[in-house]
Amino acid sequence: MSSGSLRQWLQWGMGDAENLADFPDRWNPMFVRELRRMLKSRSFSITFLLLLITCWGAAVYLVLTYQDSISYSESGPMFSRCFFTILAFPLCFVVPMTLFAAAAEEHSDNTLEVLTITTLDTSKILNGYFWMGMAHAGIYYCAVVPFACFSYLLGGVGLLDLVASLGFTVFFTAIVACWGLMLGACASGPIKRAFCSFLTIGGGVICFTILTSVLFLLIGTGIFSSDSISLLGGLVCFLVFTAPILAIVTGIARQQFQLVDPIIKPYRVQLDDQGNVTKFIARYNALQVRPPLPSGKFPMTAPRTNETS
């Protein structure tokens, strides 16, 4: 290799290194901020370690329990059901509660007013929170997928069945993520926060029940069986039913995250996507500042009374 080509390769490599160094700055700032907070949180560390320990313990228990028949029987479906059930728990409870807490803090800490002086709009805020939740779930996927591959090696479950199961879990994760984000955006007070947290847990219970039932049927019968084809038809109807609900939920979260202008204290200013003021709403918890009077006018004062000796 000549010196010219070597110099060209070095320049190309240094340029890519600089681009990679600046690559996180090109992402959504809300996504980067919330992802860093999530990775540094103690709840994420505890949940991830508990997930790994539970999967490992379940694998050891199942191998010891069925060690006499595991060599000639197809034990893959039983192992897969166990691992996907373990995965469904953090997806349906931990991820939406994390999004709920992060979105509710925007109201409790009054940080929405601070965001008005930045270039962020409502869409970037919602996208940052949503993709943070999906990245949060993706880390849990990375912990459970090796155990799912182990169940595939035991036989009895096809590769397409595992891929379809992962696809269904991703779909339900997106549903509970939108649900937790919407309820967190609506939790503007302590009473609303307690009520919305109860609704978040209730939605997680419903999604957990539906998801585990679908996975048990899909992994046990196979994706091309008659029961699974009927199940796929029912899931398509369920998708058609939940699509407008997700659109409504996203619209509610967008409305609750309308940015507030901090300069005008007594009013909450509703802005559109272009940043134009569309509506003034009185804020009763703010200091009521008297609006400026027109030029040439003076405020009315009480008449002076002459002091009598």
Side-chain angles (χ1 to χ4, degrees), residues 166-200:
L166 289 175
F168 286 133
T169 55
V170 172
F171 172 68
F172 279 93
T173 302
I175 293 177
V176 295
C178 292
W179 179 250
L181 180 58
M182 184 273 292
L183 292 175
C186 296
S188 57
I191 299 178
K192 288 184 179 180
R193 182 163 185 169
F195 181 70
C196 291
S197 62
F198 176 76
L199 291 179
T200 305

mmCIF file of all heavy atoms in Angstrom, residues 166-200:
data_model
loop_
_atom_site.group_PDB
_atom_site.id
_atom_site.type_symbol
_atom_site.label_atom_id
_atom_site.label_comp_id
_atom_site.label_asym_id
_atom_site.label_seq_id
_atom_site.Cartn_x
_atom_site.Cartn_y
_atom_site.Cartn_z
ATOM 1 N N LEU A 166 -41.762 -13.008 19.312
ATOM 2 C CA LEU A 166 -41.061 -11.754 19.569
ATOM 3 C C LEU A 166 -41.796 -10.574 18.939
ATOM 4 O O LEU A 166 -41.868 -9.481 19.531
ATOM 5 C CB LEU A 166 -39.633 -11.834 19.029
ATOM 6 C CG LEU A 166 -38.655 -12.741 19.788
ATOM 7 C CD1 LEU A 166 -37.321 -12.814 19.052
ATOM 8 C CD2 LEU A 166 -38.434 -12.219 21.206
ATOM 9 N N GLY A 167 -42.355 -10.772 17.738
ATOM 10 C CA GLY A 167 -43.115 -9.701 17.105
ATOM 11 C C GLY A 167 -44.344 -9.308 17.901
ATOM 12 O O GLY A 167 -44.655 -8.117 18.044
ATOM 13 N N PHE A 168 -45.045 -10.288 18.456
ATOM 14 C CA PHE A 168 -46.224 -9.984 19.267
ATOM 15 C C PHE A 168 -45.833 -9.248 20.552
ATOM 16 O O PHE A 168 -46.538 -8.345 20.997
ATOM 17 C CB PHE A 168 -46.981 -11.267 19.605
ATOM 18 C CG PHE A 168 -47.737 -11.835 18.441
ATOM 19 C CD1 PHE A 168 -47.658 -13.180 18.136
ATOM 20 C CD2 PHE A 168 -48.520 -11.020 17.639
ATOM 21 C CE1 PHE A 168 -48.344 -13.697 17.059
ATOM 22 C CE2 PHE A 168 -49.215 -11.533 16.555
ATOM 23 C CZ PHE A 168 -49.125 -12.871 16.261
ATOM 24 N N THR A 169 -44.728 -9.641 21.164
ATOM 25 C CA THR A 169 -44.302 -8.946 22.373
ATOM 26 C C THR A 169 -43.911 -7.498 22.071
ATOM 27 O O THR A 169 -44.183 -6.598 22.873
ATOM 28 C CB THR A 169 -43.121 -9.685 23.018
ATOM 29 O OG1 THR A 169 -42.072 -9.845 22.055
ATOM 30 C CG2 THR A 169 -43.547 -11.039 23.537
ATOM 31 N N VAL A 170 -43.291 -7.256 20.918
ATOM 32 C CA VAL A 170 -42.959 -5.880 20.531
ATOM 33 C C VAL A 170 -44.228 -5.052 20.335
ATOM 34 O O VAL A 170 -44.315 -3.890 20.761
ATOM 35 C CB VAL A 170 -42.091 -5.870 19.262
ATOM 36 C CG1 VAL A 170 -41.913 -4.454 18.732
ATOM 37 C CG2 VAL A 170 -40.732 -6.491 19.530
ATOM 38 N N PHE A 171 -45.234 -5.646 19.706
ATOM 39 C CA PHE A 171 -46.493 -4.942 19.467
ATOM 40 C C PHE A 171 -47.167 -4.574 20.786
ATOM 41 O O PHE A 171 -47.604 -3.434 20.989
ATOM 42 C CB PHE A 171 -47.410 -5.820 18.622
ATOM 43 C CG PHE A 171 -48.798 -5.275 18.463
ATOM 44 C CD1 PHE A 171 -49.034 -4.122 17.731
ATOM 45 C CD2 PHE A 171 -49.869 -5.926 19.055
ATOM 46 C CE1 PHE A 171 -50.315 -3.626 17.599
ATOM 47 C CE2 PHE A 171 -51.153 -5.437 18.921
ATOM 48 C CZ PHE A 171 -51.376 -4.285 18.189
ATOM 49 N N PHE A 172 -47.246 -5.520 21.711
ATOM 50 C CA PHE A 172 -47.873 -5.231 22.995
ATOM 51 C C PHE A 172 -47.026 -4.275 23.826
ATOM 52 O O PHE A 172 -47.562 -3.508 24.634
ATOM 53 C CB PHE A 172 -48.116 -6.530 23.757
ATOM 54 C CG PHE A 172 -49.357 -7.261 23.334
ATOM 55 C CD1 PHE A 172 -49.297 -8.239 22.363
ATOM 56 C CD2 PHE A 172 -50.587 -6.955 23.884
ATOM 57 C CE1 PHE A 172 -50.436 -8.908 21.959
ATOM 58 C CE2 PHE A 172 -51.731 -7.615 23.488
ATOM 59 C CZ PHE A 172 -51.665 -8.601 22.524
ATOM 60 N N THR A 173 -45.716 -4.310 23.657
ATOM 61 C CA THR A 173 -44.869 -3.342 24.356
ATOM 62 C C THR A 173 -45.153 -1.929 23.882
ATOM 63 O O THR A 173 -45.196 -0.985 24.681
ATOM 64 C CB THR A 173 -43.388 -3.692 24.128
ATOM 65 O OG1 THR A 173 -43.134 -5.015 24.587
ATOM 66 C CG2 THR A 173 -42.489 -2.722 24.881
ATOM 67 N N ALA A 174 -45.350 -1.743 22.583
ATOM 68 C CA ALA A 174 -45.698 -0.419 22.059
ATOM 69 C C ALA A 174 -47.033 0.057 22.612
ATOM 70 O O ALA A 174 -47.209 1.258 22.923
ATOM 71 C CB ALA A 174 -45.737 -0.449 20.532
ATOM 72 N N ILE A 175 -47.986 -0.857 22.789
ATOM 73 C CA ILE A 175 -49.294 -0.477 23.329
ATOM 74 C C ILE A 175 -49.164 0.009 24.771
ATOM 75 O O ILE A 175 -49.661 1.082 25.141
ATOM 76 C CB ILE A 175 -50.272 -1.659 23.237
ATOM 77 C CG1 ILE A 175 -50.592 -1.966 21.775
ATOM 78 C CG2 ILE A 175 -51.558 -1.362 24.005
ATOM 79 C CD1 ILE A 175 -51.501 -3.162 21.593
ATOM 80 N N VAL A 176 -48.482 -0.774 25.615
ATOM 81 C CA VAL A 176 -48.380 -0.380 27.026
ATOM 82 C C VAL A 176 -47.477 0.843 27.180
ATOM 83 O O VAL A 176 -47.646 1.631 28.126
ATOM 84 C CB VAL A 176 -47.869 -1.558 27.884
ATOM 85 C CG1 VAL A 176 -48.873 -2.684 27.896
ATOM 86 C CG2 VAL A 176 -46.512 -2.058 27.398
ATOM 87 N N ALA A 177 -46.509 1.038 26.275
ATOM 88 C CA ALA A 177 -45.670 2.233 26.338
ATOM 89 C C ALA A 177 -46.498 3.485 26.057
ATOM 90 O O ALA A 177 -46.380 4.495 26.777
ATOM 91 C CB ALA A 177 -44.509 2.119 25.359
ATOM 92 N N CYS A 178 -47.334 3.448 25.030
ATOM 93 C CA CYS A 178 -48.220 4.583 24.747
ATOM 94 C C CYS A 178 -49.200 4.811 25.885
ATOM 95 O O CYS A 178 -49.506 5.962 26.236
ATOM 96 C CB CYS A 178 -48.972 4.346 23.443
ATOM 97 S SG CYS A 178 -47.944 4.368 21.963
ATOM 98 N N TRP A 179 -49.694 3.740 26.473
ATOM 99 C CA TRP A 179 -50.637 3.857 27.581
ATOM 100 C C TRP A 179 -49.982 4.521 28.792
ATOM 101 O O TRP A 179 -50.550 5.444 29.385
ATOM 102 C CB TRP A 179 -51.158 2.462 27.931
ATOM 103 C CG TRP A 179 -52.134 2.409 29.066
ATOM 104 C CD1 TRP A 179 -51.929 1.894 30.316
ATOM 105 C CD2 TRP A 179 -53.488 2.873 29.048
ATOM 106 N NE1 TRP A 179 -53.052 2.009 31.071
ATOM 107 C CE2 TRP A 179 -54.041 2.607 30.319
ATOM 108 C CE3 TRP A 179 -54.281 3.492 28.082
ATOM 109 C CZ2 TRP A 179 -55.349 2.931 30.656
ATOM 110 C CZ3 TRP A 179 -55.586 3.824 28.417
ATOM 111 C CH2 TRP A 179 -56.111 3.547 29.688
ATOM 112 N N GLY A 180 -48.797 4.068 29.179
ATOM 113 C CA GLY A 180 -48.112 4.688 30.314
ATOM 114 C C GLY A 180 -47.700 6.114 30.045
ATOM 115 O O GLY A 180 -47.764 6.970 30.942
ATOM 116 N N LEU A 181 -47.301 6.426 28.811
ATOM 117 C CA LEU A 181 -46.914 7.791 28.466
ATOM 118 C C LEU A 181 -48.102 8.734 28.519
ATOM 119 O O LEU A 181 -48.004 9.861 29.025
ATOM 120 C CB LEU A 181 -46.286 7.806 27.078
ATOM 121 C CG LEU A 181 -45.803 9.153 26.536
ATOM 122 C CD1 LEU A 181 -44.775 9.773 27.472
ATOM 123 C CD2 LEU A 181 -45.218 8.986 25.143
ATOM 124 N N MET A 182 -49.259 8.292 28.034
ATOM 125 C CA MET A 182 -50.446 9.136 28.057
ATOM 126 C C MET A 182 -50.888 9.410 29.490
ATOM 127 O O MET A 182 -51.198 10.547 29.853
ATOM 128 C CB MET A 182 -51.566 8.463 27.263
ATOM 129 C CG MET A 182 -52.849 9.294 27.138
ATOM 130 S SD MET A 182 -54.036 9.096 28.493
ATOM 131 C CE MET A 182 -54.556 7.413 28.231
ATOM 132 N N LEU A 183 -50.910 8.372 30.320
ATOM 133 C CA LEU A 183 -51.336 8.574 31.701
ATOM 134 C C LEU A 183 -50.343 9.430 32.476
ATOM 135 O O LEU A 183 -50.734 10.221 33.333
ATOM 136 C CB LEU A 183 -51.517 7.212 32.380
ATOM 137 C CG LEU A 183 -52.678 6.364 31.849
ATOM 138 C CD1 LEU A 183 -52.681 4.999 32.518
ATOM 139 C CD2 LEU A 183 -54.005 7.075 32.095
ATOM 140 N N GLY A 184 -49.056 9.293 32.183
ATOM 141 C CA GLY A 184 -48.075 10.162 32.828
ATOM 142 C C GLY A 184 -48.224 11.611 32.415
ATOM 143 O O GLY A 184 -48.023 12.524 33.212
ATOM 144 N N ALA A 185 -48.587 11.842 31.148
ATOM 145 C CA ALA A 185 -48.817 13.207 30.692
ATOM 146 C C ALA A 185 -50.048 13.820 31.336
ATOM 147 O O ALA A 185 -50.115 15.045 31.516
ATOM 148 C CB ALA A 185 -48.960 13.231 29.170
ATOM 149 N N CYS A 186 -51.028 12.987 31.691
ATOM 150 C CA CYS A 186 -52.255 13.493 32.328
ATOM 151 C C CYS A 186 -52.110 13.654 33.835
ATOM 152 O O CYS A 186 -53.004 14.247 34.464
ATOM 153 C CB CYS A 186 -53.417 12.554 32.037
ATOM 154 S SG CYS A 186 -53.865 12.442 30.294
ATOM 155 N N ALA A 187 -51.044 13.127 34.442
ATOM 156 C CA ALA A 187 -50.887 13.173 35.899
ATOM 157 C C ALA A 187 -50.294 14.514 36.312
ATOM 158 O O ALA A 187 -49.111 14.626 36.633
ATOM 159 C CB ALA A 187 -50.004 12.026 36.366
ATOM 160 N N SER A 188 -51.138 15.548 36.318
ATOM 161 C CA SER A 188 -50.665 16.896 36.641
ATOM 162 C C SER A 188 -50.807 17.247 38.109
ATOM 163 O O SER A 188 -50.443 18.344 38.518
ATOM 164 C CB SER A 188 -51.436 17.925 35.804
ATOM 165 O OG SER A 188 -52.832 17.801 36.013
ATOM 166 N N GLY A 189 -51.345 16.398 38.929
ATOM 167 C CA GLY A 189 -51.509 16.654 40.352
ATOM 168 C C GLY A 189 -51.380 15.378 41.147
ATOM 169 O O GLY A 189 -51.338 14.273 40.586
ATOM 170 N N PRO A 190 -51.328 15.463 42.482
ATOM 171 C CA PRO A 190 -51.148 14.246 43.288
ATOM 172 C C PRO A 190 -52.323 13.281 43.182
ATOM 173 O O PRO A 190 -52.131 12.069 43.137
ATOM 174 C CB PRO A 190 -50.987 14.788 44.716
ATOM 175 C CG PRO A 190 -51.560 16.168 44.684
ATOM 176 C CD PRO A 190 -51.342 16.685 43.304
ATOM 177 N N ILE A 191 -53.552 13.800 43.133
ATOM 178 C CA ILE A 191 -54.712 12.918 43.029
ATOM 179 C C ILE A 191 -54.759 12.254 41.658
ATOM 180 O O ILE A 191 -54.978 11.046 41.530
ATOM 181 C CB ILE A 191 -56.002 13.712 43.307
ATOM 182 C CG1 ILE A 191 -55.969 14.286 44.730
ATOM 183 C CG2 ILE A 191 -57.229 12.823 43.119
ATOM 184 C CD1 ILE A 191 -57.170 15.120 45.083
ATOM 185 N N LYS A 192 -54.528 13.057 40.616
ATOM 186 C CA LYS A 192 -54.497 12.487 39.270
ATOM 187 C C LYS A 192 -53.355 11.491 39.113
ATOM 188 O O LYS A 192 -53.495 10.473 38.424
ATOM 189 C CB LYS A 192 -54.360 13.601 38.231
ATOM 190 C CG LYS A 192 -55.603 14.449 38.047
ATOM 191 C CD LYS A 192 -55.379 15.455 36.931
ATOM 192 C CE LYS A 192 -56.621 16.296 36.708
ATOM 193 N NZ LYS A 192 -56.410 17.286 35.606
ATOM 194 N N ARG A 193 -52.239 11.781 39.761
ATOM 195 C CA ARG A 193 -51.093 10.876 39.634
ATOM 196 C C ARG A 193 -51.387 9.525 40.262
ATOM 197 O O ARG A 193 -51.038 8.474 39.701
ATOM 198 C CB ARG A 193 -49.859 11.506 40.273
ATOM 199 C CG ARG A 193 -48.598 10.675 40.148
ATOM 200 C CD ARG A 193 -47.369 11.483 40.420
ATOM 201 N NE ARG A 193 -46.158 10.711 40.182
ATOM 202 C CZ ARG A 193 -44.939 11.223 40.137
ATOM 203 N NH1 ARG A 193 -44.778 12.529 40.308
ATOM 204 N NH2 ARG A 193 -43.892 10.457 39.912
ATOM 205 N N ALA A 194 -52.036 9.520 41.441
ATOM 206 C CA ALA A 194 -52.382 8.250 42.086
ATOM 207 C C ALA A 194 -53.395 7.474 41.247
ATOM 208 O O ALA A 194 -53.269 6.255 41.062
ATOM 209 C CB ALA A 194 -52.932 8.513 43.479
ATOM 210 N N PHE A 195 -54.392 8.180 40.715
ATOM 211 C CA PHE A 195 -55.411 7.509 39.895
ATOM 212 C C PHE A 195 -54.809 6.979 38.598
ATOM 213 O O PHE A 195 -55.101 5.853 38.171
ATOM 214 C CB PHE A 195 -56.553 8.480 39.607
ATOM 215 C CG PHE A 195 -57.663 7.898 38.787
ATOM 216 C CD1 PHE A 195 -58.507 6.941 39.315
ATOM 217 C CD2 PHE A 195 -57.849 8.306 37.475
ATOM 218 C CE1 PHE A 195 -59.531 6.393 38.554
ATOM 219 C CE2 PHE A 195 -58.868 7.769 36.703
ATOM 220 C CZ PHE A 195 -59.719 6.811 37.250
ATOM 221 N N CYS A 196 -53.953 7.767 37.955
ATOM 222 C CA CYS A 196 -53.344 7.342 36.689
ATOM 223 C C CYS A 196 -52.354 6.199 36.896
ATOM 224 O O CYS A 196 -52.215 5.335 36.021
ATOM 225 C CB CYS A 196 -52.665 8.526 36.014
ATOM 226 S SG CYS A 196 -53.794 9.786 35.387
ATOM 227 N N SER A 197 -51.666 6.188 38.028
ATOM 228 C CA SER A 197 -50.769 5.059 38.302
ATOM 229 C C SER A 197 -51.553 3.762 38.465
ATOM 230 O O SER A 197 -51.120 2.682 38.016
ATOM 231 C CB SER A 197 -49.943 5.345 39.553
ATOM 232 O OG SER A 197 -50.791 5.487 40.686
ATOM 233 N N PHE A 198 -52.734 3.856 39.089
ATOM 234 C CA PHE A 198 -53.599 2.671 39.208
ATOM 235 C C PHE A 198 -54.052 2.198 37.834
ATOM 236 O O PHE A 198 -54.081 0.991 37.550
ATOM 237 C CB PHE A 198 -54.797 3.012 40.092
ATOM 238 C CG PHE A 198 -55.801 1.898 40.201
ATOM 239 C CD1 PHE A 198 -55.559 0.798 41.005
ATOM 240 C CD2 PHE A 198 -56.993 1.963 39.495
ATOM 241 C CE1 PHE A 198 -56.491 -0.234 41.097
ATOM 242 C CE2 PHE A 198 -57.923 0.948 39.581
ATOM 243 C CZ PHE A 198 -57.677 -0.158 40.388
ATOM 244 N N LEU A 199 -54.406 3.137 36.952
ATOM 245 C CA LEU A 199 -54.802 2.764 35.599
ATOM 246 C C LEU A 199 -53.636 2.159 34.816
ATOM 247 O O LEU A 199 -53.831 1.258 33.988
ATOM 248 C CB LEU A 199 -55.351 3.988 34.862
ATOM 249 C CG LEU A 199 -56.693 4.541 35.349
ATOM 250 C CD1 LEU A 199 -57.084 5.759 34.525
ATOM 251 C CD2 LEU A 199 -57.778 3.476 35.279
ATOM 252 N N THR A 200 -52.421 2.648 35.050
ATOM 253 C CA THR A 200 -51.247 2.090 34.369
ATOM 254 C C THR A 200 -51.027 0.635 34.756
ATOM 255 O O THR A 200 -50.770 -0.225 33.906
ATOM 256 C CB THR A 200 -50.006 2.920 34.701
ATOM 257 O OG1 THR A 200 -50.239 4.290 34.370
ATOM 258 C CG2 THR A 200 -48.800 2.424 33.929
#
